Structures are given as structure tokens and as C-alpha cells.
Amino acid sequence: MEKELYKNRSFSACIHAAYVLFATNLKVILRRTWLPVLLMSVALTFNVLFNLPDKHIHDLGMSHPMLTTSIMGAAFILNLLAEVWIMAVIAGLLNLRPLKANIVRALVLMGISLIITLAAIAIISFSQNFVLGFLISSKLVTPSMAGAAGVGITLLLVMLLLVFTLPFVFSTTKFLMDHEVRPSAIFKSDYRRGLRRWGMLFGALFFTTVIITILSFVLFVPFIILVTSQTINQIGMLNGDPSGVPGYFFWLLIVITLLTMFIFSYEIIWAMLVNYYVYGAIEAKEKLKEENNGLKNESSDLTETNK
């Protein structure tokens, strides 16, 4: 794919460049990614169905717990492997490296992401339980106020985690694209570089999220209508009413969910391209900064020499 990566762009220019690259190479992207995207969509569809308010599915899960656990575990693993495959394919289209080499890098990033996610969940859970336990046992406040304090602590920690994990957008993208970069750089030099450009990363992430939210609001309308109908129908059945949906409704829900997740996956791929251009823009800005500092040092040396 034709692209101009290392260019001094604003985050809005990065978003536009990602759109142009995505639109002009849509056929290539579809041809190379449709299979892993389909597998990921199937896994996500299984997760949706198992969390759907449906008495038959609930009863089946309760009567066959091992089978249900196995299916959900397989869907989770399939989703992770499909994500790795998609990352590797997109990286290969951009850095022209072999798929195998990019898969290894994508697996490393997936492992790091899982570790950070589990650590974040553990920190938030521990902090919330600690604050709730301390306030309730000490009887400093009422239980309702203690609950509110726990929610406040959770929101504060989530915000702090978002602040300190945002530079990983740059360092992980660079690790995936540049195979000369070592894994340690994700947490050291490249993390510091991303931290210095935190504002640009935040701007790109914020507006990319806004665009994806607007697009998804339209995309998910059929899915939301079907899930809402399913929920209302199940509530009615629990109250003794007959089912009010046609016999093909469940299969229609599966098809719509699968199609929705398939299209949504390409919104995420576009977001990956935004991160790619943000990485290139930051590299260009840092190089320009180093050159300017070098010129200033040379100028200072000449001034000292003339004196």
C-alpha cells in the first residue's frame, strides 16, 4: 500500500490520512483480512449469544456447565488469535515484513496487553474493596456514602490508568511496525517519547473514538432493535405470556450480530491505521526537534569560538 509515514502531521491530518489509506486500499484490506475478521466475528457472536437474555440458552448452560465453559473458552481464545492474525496482516501491508515475523510481534503485544489489563483490573478491584471495607468497618460514613466513595475511587483509578497507558499506543505501534525495536523499549525509551507527545495521542484517540461511536450508532441500530425485542419477549414469557417473535427470529439475530461485528471490525482496523500515522508523525516531530537542537548547539559552539 502506498503511504507517506514519517511526516510532520497534526492528529487531525493523521485521521484523514488513515481514512484515505483505508478507502483507497479497501479491496486489498478486505482480501487479506476477511478470514480472520470472520473468525473474530464468530467468536464475538458466541459471546453475545451466551450473554443474551434467553431462557433456553440459560437452561442449556445450567444443564451442561462444562460444555458451556468449553465453548466460551474456545470463543475467547479464537477471538484473541483472530486479533493477532488481523494485527499481523495489517502490519505486513504497512511494513512489508513476512506474516510470520509480524505474528510473533503481535503475539508479544497481545501478551503484554493481557498482563496490563489483568493488572489494571486487580488494582481497581483491590482498591475499591479496600476503601469500602475500611470505610464500613471504621463506621466513618454511612454504607451508601461508602459505596459512593468506592465508585469515586474506581473512576479516579480508571482515569489515571488511561493517562499512564496512553503512551503505549505509540510504543506498541512502533514495536509492531519496526522490527529493530526491542520489547523493552515499549516500557522505556518509546514510552517516554509517547509520554512527551501525550496531547497528540489523546487528541487522535478522542476524535477517533468519537467518529467510531457515531458510525457504530448507525451500524448497531438493527442489532439493538433485535436485542431489545428479545429482552422484552423474554420478560413477557417469564410473566406467562406466549412468545411474540417468529420462529426465525433467533437465526435472524445470529446473522445480524455476525454481520454487525464483521463491519465493526473494519472500523477498528481503520483506528489501527490512525495509530500508525500518529506513530509516524511523532517520529517525524522528534527527528525535527533533534535536528533543531543540533543546529542550536552548533550555533552556540560557533558563538563561543568567535568570542
Side-chain angles (χ1 to χ4, degrees):
M1 294 193 296
E2 294 184 4
K3 67 270 182 191
E4 187 179 3
L5 176 60
Y6 300 109
K7 184 178 179 181
N8 190 355
R9 294 183 174 93
S10 63
F11 66 79
S12 59
C14 291
I15 292 173
H16 180 262
Y19 165 74
V20 172
L21 184 66
F22 182 83
T24 54
N25 296 276
L26 183 57
K27 290 184 179 180
V28 176
I29 294 173
L30 283 171
R31 187 171 65 249
R32 295 287 297 275
T33 61
W34 71 268
L35 182 54
V37 167
L38 179 61
L39 293 176
M40 186 169 70
S41 302
V42 170
L44 293 173
T45 300
F46 268 107
N47 288 328
V48 169
L49 293 178
F50 275 102
N51 289 281
L52 199 66
D54 189 295
K55 188 175 184 303
H56 297 297
I57 295 178
H58 179 267
D59 292 343
L60 180 64
M62 294 298 292
S63 59
H64 302 86
M66 291 300 296
L67 177 62
T68 303
T69 303
S70 299
I71 293 175
M72 293 185 69
F76 177 74
I77 294 173
L78 178 62
N79 183 49
L80 293 183
L81 293 177
E83 287 184 21
V84 168
W85 191 355
I86 292 168
M87 277 196 292
V89 170
I90 296 300
L93 290 173
L94 297 171
N95 62 15
L96 304 180
R97 294 275 186 169
L99 179 63
K100 183 178 179 181
N102 283 315
I103 283 179
V104 171
R105 294 246 150 184
L107 282 170
V108 172
L109 291 183
M110 182 59 69
I112 291 173
S113 299
L114 289 175
I115 292 171
I116 292 175
T117 301
L118 291 174
I121 292 172
I123 291 170
I124 292 172
S125 178
F126 173 79
S127 301
Q128 186 182 43
N129 292 332
F130 177 80
V131 170
L132 282 173
F134 174 76
L135 292 177
I136 292 174
S137 62
S138 62
K139 298 181 180 180
L140 294 175
V141 295
T142 62
S144 59
M145 292 182 65
V151 173
I153 288 294
T154 300
L155 292 176
L156 178 62
L157 287 173
V158 169
M159 291 178 63
L160 288 174
L161 286 169
L162 288 175
V163 168
F164 288 104
T165 55
L166 189 58
F168 285 122
V169 173
F170 169 78
S171 62
T172 55
T173 303
K174 183 176 180 179
F175 174 79
L176 182 61
M177 297 300 167
D178 187 353
H179 287 210
E180 300 299 321
V181 176
R182 294 185 177 183
S184 58
I186 296 175
F187 303 95
K188 295 180 179 179
S189 58
D190 290 333
Y191 178 86
R192 292 192 296 269
R193 179 167 288 191
L195 191 61
R196 288 196 299 269
R197 301 290 176 174
W198 191 91
M200 182 174 183
L201 288 169
F202 176 78
L205 178 64
F206 177 79
F207 283 102
T208 301
T209 303
V210 169
I211 294 171
I212 289 178
T213 301
I214 294 172
L215 293 174
S216 299
F217 180 78
V218 178
L219 173 64
F220 277 80
V221 166
F223 171 78
I224 293 171
I225 291 173
L226 291 177
V227 170
T228 303
S229 301
Q230 169 73 5
T231 304
I232 295 173
N233 184 61
Q234 288 295 311
I235 293 173
M237 290 176 66
L238 290 174
N239 292 328
D241 298 333
S243 177
V245 299
Y248 60 82
F249 180 84
F250 186 73
W251 297 106
L252 177 63
L253 178 60
I254 291 177
V255 171
I256 292 299
T257 303
L258 186 63
L259 184 60
T260 301
M261 296 305 170
F262 188 87
I263 298 173
F264 178 72
S265 299
Y266 284 96
E267 295 183 20
I268 304 303
I269 288 176
W270 169 71
M272 290 176 60
L273 297 180
V274 174
N275 292 339
Y276 170 73
Y277 276 110
V278 170
Y279 146 67
I282 290 176
E283 289 285 84
K285 290 176 186 293
E286 289 293 315
K287 183 178 180 181
L288 183 62
K289 181 181 177 181
E290 292 172 1
E291 290 175 353
N292 289 336
N293 289 336
L295 291 175
K296 288 181 181 178
N297 292 334
E298 289 179 5
S299 178
S300 298
D301 292 340
L302 288 174
T303 303
E304 290 295 329
T305 302
N306 292 331
K307 288 181 179 180

